[in-house]
Amino acid sequence: MRKLLSVVAAAALAALAAVPASATGHGVFETWREGAKAVTYDVQKVPVGARVAVVPLATGRKTSVLLWVHGLLPYRHYGAHVHVKPCGPNPADAGPHFQDQADPVQPSVDPAYANPRNEIWLDFATDDKGSAIAIANVLWRFGDRPAAAVIIHNEHTHTGPGEAGTAGPRLACVNARFR
């Protein structure tokens, strides 16, 4: 297992090195200020000074998104999703989850729309240093449709009817470019 994690970490670092900085979202979590790249809304669960990087990679009809975090609470589960608007002073400012096929009913809690094939779900569990890597793969591209941030949520993503796609309060946000 340790070897597998090392291979995944090496692949993640290689991906970060291969993608231009302009195509990624990255930063150090801070409280809201104009121009912040990464914002924490709950400094207990996503401490000021924790780090984050988001790397979207599109090839052919497929998209992969890699999320890397460091300095969060150790041994804790979080949910994370791509959202349609950039981070703002309030957690709700990032809008709803990005969906390849948009649910006509918002907020979307229908498993036909709120699922890991139609959205980017990047749930993760941190290690002893508060680090984690999550990767989502989908069979579609963002194109010119709006997607502007990744929100880290309080818990892993739910999948049942009436709660699909929910993951508790929004704890933090990182701005990113998706194409």
Side-chain angles (χ1 to χ4, degrees), residues 40-156:
T40 178
Y41 303 112
D42 184 328
V43 298
Q44 299 302 314
K45 294 177 181 169
V46 179
V48 169
R51 296 184 308 238
V52 62
V54 177
V55 181
L57 302 166
T59 57
R61 293 184 3 219
K62 298 178 184 178
T63 299
S64 296
V65 178
L66 181 140
L67 173 68
W68 170 85
V69 295
H70 178 75
L72 276 62
L73 296 180
Y75 304 115
R76 189 176 191 296
H77 293 263
Y78 294 85
H81 313 108
V82 172
H83 284 249
V84 299
K85 296 179 182 178
C87 308
N90 299 302
D93 291 342
H97 295 179
F98 179 91
Q99 294 181 318
D100 182 43
Q101 300 297 314
D103 187 341
V105 177
Q106 293 293 327
S108 180
V109 292
D110 180 347
Y113 294 94
N115 64 65
R117 293 168 310 286
N118 194 45
E119 299 181 347
I120 302 289
W121 291 8
L122 295 157
D123 292 9
F124 60 91
T126 56
D127 65 13
D128 62 327
K129 297 195 180 358
S131 297
I133 295 172
I135 301 171
N137 299 295
V138 292
L139 296 175
W140 45 265
R141 305 261 314 250
F142 288 98
D144 291 332
R145 298 177 295 168
V150 171
I151 291 280
I152 296 175
H153 292 268
N154 191 54
E155 55 204 45
H156 271 208

